[in-house]
Structure formats: structure tokens, C-alpha cells
Coordinates of all heavy atoms in Angstrom, one line a residue:
M1 N 16.3 -7.1 -23.6 CA 15.6 -6.0 -24.1 C 15.8 -6.0 -25.6 O 16.9 -6.0 -26.1 CB 16.1 -4.7 -23.4 CG 15.4 -3.5 -23.8 SD 16.0 -2.0 -23.0 CE 14.7 -1.7 -21.8
S2 N 14.7 -5.9 -26.3 CA 14.7 -5.9 -27.8 C 15.2 -4.5 -28.3 O 15.2 -3.5 -27.6 CB 13.4 -6.2 -28.4 OG 12.5 -5.2 -28.1
Q3 N 15.6 -4.5 -29.6 CA 16.0 -3.3 -30.2 C 14.9 -2.3 -30.3 O 15.1 -1.1 -30.1 CB 16.6 -3.6 -31.6 CG 17.2 -2.4 -32.3 CD 18.4 -1.9 -31.6 OE1 19.2 -2.6 -31.1 NE2 18.6 -0.6 -31.7
A4 N 13.7 -2.7 -30.5 CA 12.5 -1.8 -30.5 C 12.4 -1.1 -29.2 O 12.1 0.1 -29.1 CB 11.3 -2.6 -30.9
S5 N 12.5 -1.9 -28.1 CA 12.4 -1.3 -26.8 C 13.5 -0.3 -26.5 O 13.2 0.8 -25.9 CB 12.4 -2.4 -25.7 OG 11.3 -3.2 -25.9
K6 N 14.7 -0.6 -26.9 CA 15.8 0.3 -26.7 C 15.6 1.6 -27.5 O 15.8 2.7 -27.0 CB 17.1 -0.3 -27.2 CG 17.6 -1.4 -26.3 CD 18.9 -2.1 -26.8 CE 19.3 -3.2 -26.0 NZ 20.5 -3.9 -26.5
N7 N 15.1 1.5 -28.7 CA 14.8 2.7 -29.5 C 13.7 3.6 -28.9 O 13.8 4.8 -28.8 CB 14.4 2.3 -31.0 CG 15.6 2.0 -31.8 OD1 16.7 2.3 -31.5 ND2 15.4 1.2 -32.9
L8 N 12.7 2.9 -28.4 CA 11.6 3.7 -27.7 C 12.1 4.4 -26.5 O 11.9 5.6 -26.3 CB 10.5 2.7 -27.3 CG 9.5 2.3 -28.4 CD1 8.6 1.2 -28.0 CD2 8.7 3.5 -28.9
L9 N 12.9 3.7 -25.6 CA 13.4 4.3 -24.4 C 14.4 5.4 -24.7 O 14.3 6.5 -24.2 CB 14.1 3.2 -23.6 CG 14.7 3.7 -22.3 CD1 13.6 4.2 -21.3 CD2 15.4 2.6 -21.6
E10 N 15.3 5.2 -25.7 CA 16.3 6.2 -26.0 C 15.6 7.4 -26.6 O 15.9 8.6 -26.4 CB 17.3 5.7 -27.0 CG 18.4 6.6 -27.3 CD 19.4 6.0 -28.2 OE1 19.4 4.8 -28.5 OE2 20.3 6.8 -28.7
G11 N 14.6 7.2 -27.5 CA 13.8 8.3 -28.1 C 13.1 9.1 -27.1 O 13.1 10.4 -27.1
I12 N 12.4 8.5 -26.1 CA 11.7 9.2 -25.1 C 12.6 10.0 -24.2 O 12.4 11.2 -23.9 CB 10.9 8.2 -24.2 CG1 9.7 7.7 -25.1 CG2 10.3 8.9 -23.0 CD1 9.0 6.5 -24.4
L13 N 13.8 9.4 -23.8 CA 14.7 10.2 -23.0 C 15.4 11.4 -23.8 O 15.5 12.5 -23.2 CB 15.8 9.2 -22.5 CG 15.4 8.2 -21.5 CD1 16.6 7.3 -21.2 CD2 15.0 9.0 -20.2
T14 N 15.7 11.1 -25.1 CA 16.2 12.2 -25.9 C 15.2 13.4 -26.0 O 15.6 14.5 -25.9 CB 16.7 11.7 -27.2 OG1 17.6 10.6 -27.0 CG2 17.4 12.7 -28.0
F15 N 14.0 13.0 -26.3 CA 13.0 14.0 -26.4 C 12.8 14.8 -25.1 O 12.6 16.0 -25.1 CB 11.6 13.4 -26.9 CG 10.6 14.4 -27.2 CD1 10.5 14.9 -28.5 CD2 9.7 14.8 -26.3 CE1 9.5 15.8 -28.8 CE2 8.7 15.8 -26.6 CZ 8.6 16.3 -27.8
A16 N 12.8 14.0 -24.0 CA 12.6 14.6 -22.7 C 13.7 15.5 -22.3 O 13.5 16.5 -21.5 CB 12.4 13.5 -21.6
I17 N 14.9 15.3 -22.8 CA 16.0 16.2 -22.5 C 16.0 17.4 -23.4 O 16.3 18.6 -23.0 CB 17.4 15.5 -22.6 CG1 17.5 14.4 -21.5 CG2 18.6 16.4 -22.6 CD1 18.7 13.5 -21.7
G18 N 15.6 17.2 -24.7 CA 15.5 18.3 -25.6 C 14.4 19.3 -25.3 O 14.5 20.5 -25.6
L19 N 13.3 18.9 -24.7 CA 12.2 19.8 -24.5 C 12.5 20.9 -23.5 O 12.2 22.0 -23.8 CB 10.9 18.9 -24.0 CG 9.7 19.7 -23.8 CD1 9.2 20.3 -25.1 CD2 8.6 18.8 -23.2
P20 N 13.1 20.6 -22.3 CA 13.5 21.7 -21.4 C 14.5 22.6 -22.0 O 14.5 23.8 -21.8 CB 14.0 21.0 -20.2 CG 13.8 19.6 -20.3 CD 13.3 19.3 -21.7
L21 N 15.4 22.0 -22.8 CA 16.4 22.9 -23.5 C 15.7 23.9 -24.4 O 16.1 25.1 -24.4 CB 17.4 22.1 -24.3 CG 18.5 21.4 -23.5 CD1 19.3 20.5 -24.5 CD2 19.4 22.4 -22.9
W22 N 14.8 23.5 -25.1 CA 14.0 24.3 -26.0 C 13.2 25.4 -25.3 O 13.1 26.5 -25.7 CB 13.2 23.5 -27.0 CG 12.3 24.3 -27.9 CD1 12.7 25.2 -28.8 CD2 10.9 24.3 -27.9 NE1 11.6 25.7 -29.5 CE2 10.5 25.2 -28.9 CE3 9.9 23.6 -27.2 CZ2 9.2 25.4 -29.3 CZ3 8.6 23.8 -27.5 CH2 8.2 24.7 -28.5
L23 N 12.6 24.9 -24.2 CA 11.7 25.8 -23.5 C 12.3 26.8 -22.6 O 11.9 28.0 -22.5 CB 10.7 25.0 -22.6 CG 9.7 24.1 -23.4 CD1 8.9 23.3 -22.4 CD2 8.7 25.1 -24.1
F24 N 13.5 26.5 -21.9 CA 14.0 27.3 -20.9 C 15.4 27.9 -21.1 O 15.9 28.5 -20.2 CB 14.0 26.5 -19.6 CG 12.7 25.9 -19.2 CD1 12.5 24.6 -19.1 CD2 11.6 26.8 -18.8 CE1 11.2 24.1 -18.7 CE2 10.4 26.3 -18.5 CZ 10.2 24.9 -18.4
T25 N 15.9 27.7 -22.3 CA 17.3 28.3 -22.5 C 17.3 29.4 -23.5 O 18.3 29.6 -24.2 CB 18.3 27.1 -22.9 OG1 17.8 26.5 -24.1 CG2 18.4 26.1 -21.8
G26 N 16.2 30.1 -23.7 CA 16.1 31.1 -24.7 C 17.1 32.3 -24.4 O 17.6 32.9 -25.4
D27 N 17.4 32.6 -23.2 CA 18.2 33.8 -22.9 C 19.6 33.4 -22.4 O 20.4 34.2 -22.0 CB 17.6 34.6 -21.8 CG 17.3 33.8 -20.5 OD1 17.4 32.6 -20.6 OD2 17.0 34.4 -19.5
V28 N 20.0 32.1 -22.6 CA 21.4 31.7 -22.3 C 22.3 31.9 -23.5 O 22.0 31.4 -24.6 CB 21.4 30.2 -21.9 CG1 22.8 29.7 -21.6 CG2 20.5 30.0 -20.7
E29 N 23.4 32.5 -23.2 CA 24.4 32.8 -24.3 C 25.5 31.8 -24.3 O 26.1 31.6 -23.2 CB 25.0 34.2 -24.1 CG 24.0 35.3 -24.1 CD 23.6 35.7 -25.6 OE1 24.3 35.4 -26.5 OE2 22.4 36.2 -25.7
T30 N 25.7 31.1 -25.4 CA 26.8 30.2 -25.5 C 27.6 30.6 -26.8 O 27.0 31.1 -27.7 CB 26.4 28.7 -25.7 OG1 25.4 28.6 -26.7 CG2 25.8 28.2 -24.4
P31 N 28.9 30.4 -26.8 CA 29.7 30.9 -27.9 C 29.6 30.2 -29.2 O 29.7 30.8 -30.2 CB 31.2 30.8 -27.4 CG 31.1 29.8 -26.3 CD 29.8 29.9 -25.7
V32 N 29.2 28.9 -29.2 CA 29.2 28.2 -30.5 C 27.8 27.9 -31.0 O 27.5 28.1 -32.1 CB 30.0 26.9 -30.3 CG1 30.0 26.1 -31.6 CG2 31.4 27.2 -29.9
V33 N 26.9 27.4 -30.1 CA 25.6 26.9 -30.5 C 24.5 27.6 -29.7 O 24.8 28.1 -28.6 CB 25.4 25.4 -30.4 CG1 26.4 24.7 -31.3 CG2 25.7 25.0 -29.0
T34 N 23.3 27.6 -30.2 CA 22.2 28.1 -29.4 C 21.5 26.9 -28.8 O 21.1 26.0 -29.5 CB 21.2 28.9 -30.4 OG1 21.9 29.9 -31.1 CG2 20.1 29.5 -29.6
L35 N 21.3 27.0 -27.5 CA 20.8 25.8 -26.8 C 19.3 25.5 -27.2 O 18.9 24.4 -27.2 CB 20.9 26.0 -25.3 CG 22.3 26.0 -24.7 CD1 22.3 26.3 -23.2 CD2 23.0 24.7 -25.0
T36 N 18.6 26.5 -27.6 CA 17.2 26.3 -28.0 C 17.2 25.5 -29.3 O 16.4 24.6 -29.5 CB 16.5 27.6 -28.3 OG1 17.2 28.4 -29.1 CG2 16.2 28.3 -27.0
K37 N 18.2 25.7 -30.2 CA 18.3 25.0 -31.5 C 18.8 23.5 -31.2 O 18.3 22.6 -31.8 CB 19.2 25.6 -32.4 CG 18.7 26.9 -33.0 CD 19.6 27.6 -33.9 CE 19.1 28.9 -34.4 NZ 20.0 29.6 -35.3
V38 N 19.6 23.4 -30.2 CA 20.1 22.0 -29.8 C 18.9 21.3 -29.3 O 18.7 20.1 -29.5 CB 21.2 22.1 -28.7 CG1 21.5 20.8 -28.1 CG2 22.5 22.7 -29.3
G39 N 18.0 21.9 -28.5 CA 16.8 21.3 -28.0 C 15.9 20.8 -29.1 O 15.3 19.7 -29.0
V40 N 15.7 21.7 -30.1 CA 14.9 21.3 -31.2 C 15.4 20.1 -32.0 O 14.7 19.2 -32.3 CB 14.7 22.5 -32.2 CG1 14.0 22.1 -33.4 CG2 13.9 23.6 -31.5
V41 N 16.7 20.1 -32.2 CA 17.4 19.0 -32.9 C 17.2 17.7 -32.0 O 16.9 16.6 -32.6 CB 18.8 19.3 -33.2 CG1 19.6 18.0 -33.6 CG2 18.9 20.4 -34.2
M42 N 17.4 17.8 -30.7 CA 17.3 16.6 -29.9 C 15.8 16.1 -29.9 O 15.6 14.9 -29.9 CB 17.7 16.9 -28.4 CG 19.2 17.1 -28.3 SD 19.7 17.4 -26.6 CE 19.5 15.8 -25.9
M43 N 14.9 17.0 -29.9 CA 13.5 16.6 -30.0 C 13.2 15.9 -31.3 O 12.4 14.9 -31.3 CB 12.5 17.7 -29.7 CG 12.5 18.2 -28.3 SD 11.2 19.4 -28.0 CE 11.3 20.6 -29.3
C44 N 13.7 16.4 -32.4 CA 13.5 15.7 -33.7 C 14.1 14.3 -33.7 O 13.5 13.4 -34.2 CB 14.1 16.6 -34.8 SG 13.2 18.1 -35.1
V45 N 15.4 14.2 -33.2 CA 16.0 12.9 -33.2 C 15.3 12.0 -32.3 O 15.1 10.8 -32.6 CB 17.5 13.1 -32.7 CG1 18.1 11.7 -32.4 CG2 18.3 13.8 -33.8
G46 N 14.8 12.4 -31.1 CA 14.0 11.6 -30.2 C 12.7 11.2 -30.8 O 12.3 10.0 -30.7
G47 N 12.1 12.0 -31.5 CA 10.8 11.7 -32.2 C 11.1 10.6 -33.3 O 10.3 9.7 -33.4
A48 N 12.2 10.8 -34.0 CA 12.5 9.8 -35.0 C 12.8 8.4 -34.4 O 12.4 7.4 -34.9 CB 13.7 10.2 -35.8
L49 N 13.5 8.4 -33.3 CA 13.8 7.1 -32.6 C 12.5 6.5 -32.1 O 12.3 5.3 -32.1 CB 14.7 7.4 -31.4 CG 16.2 7.5 -31.8 CD1 17.0 8.0 -30.6 CD2 16.8 6.3 -32.4
V50 N 11.6 7.3 -31.5 CA 10.3 6.8 -31.1 C 9.5 6.2 -32.2 O 9.0 5.0 -32.1 CB 9.5 7.9 -30.3 CG1 8.0 7.4 -30.1 CG2 10.1 8.2 -29.0
L51 N 9.5 6.9 -33.4 CA 8.8 6.3 -34.5 C 9.4 5.0 -35.0 O 8.7 4.1 -35.4 CB 8.7 7.4 -35.6 CG 7.8 8.6 -35.4 CD1 8.0 9.6 -36.5 CD2 6.4 8.1 -35.2
T52 N 10.7 5.0 -35.0 CA 11.4 3.8 -35.4 C 11.1 2.6 -34.5 O 10.8 1.5 -34.9 CB 13.0 4.0 -35.4 OG1 13.2 5.1 -36.3 CG2 13.7 2.7 -35.9
G53 N 11.1 2.9 -33.2 CA 10.8 1.8 -32.2 C 9.3 1.4 -32.3 O 9.1 0.2 -32.3
L54 N 8.4 2.3 -32.6 CA 7.0 1.9 -32.8 C 6.9 1.0 -34.1 O 6.1 0.1 -34.1 CB 6.1 3.1 -32.9 CG 5.9 3.9 -31.6 CD1 5.1 5.2 -31.8 CD2 5.2 3.0 -30.5
Y55 N 7.6 1.4 -35.1 CA 7.5 0.7 -36.4 C 8.1 -0.7 -36.1 O 7.5 -1.7 -36.6 CB 8.3 1.4 -37.5 CG 8.5 0.6 -38.7 CD1 7.4 0.5 -39.6 CD2 9.7 0.0 -39.1 CE1 7.5 -0.3 -40.8 CE2 9.8 -0.8 -40.2 CZ 8.7 -0.9 -41.1 OH 8.8 -1.6 -42.2
Q56 N 9.2 -0.8 -35.4 CA 9.8 -2.2 -35.2 C 8.9 -3.0 -34.3 O 8.8 -4.2 -34.6 CB 11.2 -2.0 -34.5 CG 12.2 -1.4 -35.4 CD 13.5 -1.1 -34.7 OE1 13.5 -0.9 -33.5 NE2 14.6 -1.0 -35.4
T57 N 8.2 -2.4 -33.4 CA 7.3 -3.1 -32.5 C 6.1 -3.6 -33.3 O 5.7 -4.8 -33.2 CB 6.8 -2.3 -31.4 OG1 7.9 -1.8 -30.6 CG2 5.8 -3.0 -30.5
A58 N 5.6 -2.8 -34.2 CA 4.4 -3.2 -35.0 C 4.8 -4.2 -36.0 O 4.0 -5.2 -36.2 CB 3.9 -1.9 -35.7
R59 N 6.0 -4.1 -36.6 CA 6.4 -5.1 -37.5 C 6.7 -6.5 -36.9 O 6.3 -7.5 -37.4 CB 7.7 -4.6 -38.2 CG 8.1 -5.5 -39.3 CD 9.2 -4.8 -40.2 NE 9.8 -5.7 -41.1 CZ 9.6 -5.7 -42.4 NH1 9.0 -4.7 -42.9 NH2 10.2 -6.6 -43.1
T60 N 7.2 -6.5 -35.7 CA 7.4 -7.7 -34.9 C 6.1 -8.4 -34.5 O 6.0 -9.6 -34.7 CB 8.3 -7.5 -33.7 OG1 9.5 -6.8 -34.1 CG2 8.7 -8.7 -33.0
S61 N 5.2 -7.6 -34.1 CA 3.9 -8.1 -33.7 C 3.1 -8.6 -34.9 O 2.4 -9.6 -34.8 CB 3.1 -7.1 -32.9 OG 2.7 -6.0 -33.6
A62 N 3.2 -8.0 -36.0 CA 2.5 -8.4 -37.2 C 3.2 -9.7 -37.8 O 2.5 -10.5 -38.3 CB 2.6 -7.3 -38.3
G63 N 4.4 -9.9 -37.5 CA 5.1 -11.1 -38.0 C 4.7 -12.3 -37.1 O 4.9 -13.5 -37.5
N64 N 4.3 -12.1 -35.9 CA 3.9 -13.2 -35.0 C 2.5 -13.7 -35.2 O 2.1 -14.7 -34.6 CB 4.0 -12.7 -33.5 CG 5.5 -12.5 -33.1 OD1 6.4 -13.1 -33.8 ND2 5.7 -11.7 -32.1
R65 N 1.7 -13.1 -36.1 CA 0.3 -13.5 -36.3 C 0.3 -14.7 -37.1 O 0.9 -15.2 -37.9 CB -0.5 -12.4 -37.0 CG -0.7 -11.3 -36.0 CD -1.5 -10.2 -36.7 NE -1.6 -9.1 -35.9 CZ -2.2 -8.0 -36.2 NH1 -2.9 -7.9 -37.3 NH2 -2.2 -7.0 -35.4

């Protein structure tokens, strides 16, 4: 498995975990962090990983031409 594939998979999974946290934990009280904010951060990190994986895939395929 290439690094680009790993970044894509990890980004999709991270985004998929962050989305329900953001959507469904608005009324959950935690002492240190707000779970909705954690969900937003996870979605941002997941999106960045997906973009990195897509860039790496495009760069690798452009180099093979």
C-alpha cells in the first residue's frame, strides 16, 4: 500500500469519525473539551489528509507519463 493510499484511507476514516461527533454530541457535557469542537478538528485533519493523498496520487500518476 502506497503512502498516498494510506493518507486517503486515514483521512476518510478520520473525517467519518469526526462527522458524527460534530452532528450528534451537541448536548454532551465533558469537563475539558467540547466534543463538537473535537469533531470539527477531526474533520479538518481528515480533509487535509485526503487532499494530501489526492495530491500524492496525482503527482505519482503525472510522473509516470
Side-chain angles (χ1 to χ4, degrees):
M1 184 177 255
S2 68
Q3 185 65 32
S5 298
K6 289 179 185 177
N7 282 339
L8 281 171
L9 180 63
E10 185 177 349
I12 291 169
L13 289 175
T14 304
F15 188 88
I17 292 169
L19 184 62
L21 281 174
W22 176 61
L23 290 175
F24 302 117
T25 60
D27 56 348
V28 176
E29 299 283 335
T30 54
V32 179
V33 295
T34 306
L35 292 178
T36 53
K37 291 179 183 177
V38 171
V40 171
V41 170
M42 288 182 72
M43 289 190 313
C44 291
V45 170
L49 283 170
V50 168
L51 290 176
T52 302
L54 289 174
Y55 174 75
Q56 290 172 338
T57 302
R59 188 167 168 114
T60 307
S61 65
N64 291 338
R65 291 183 188 180

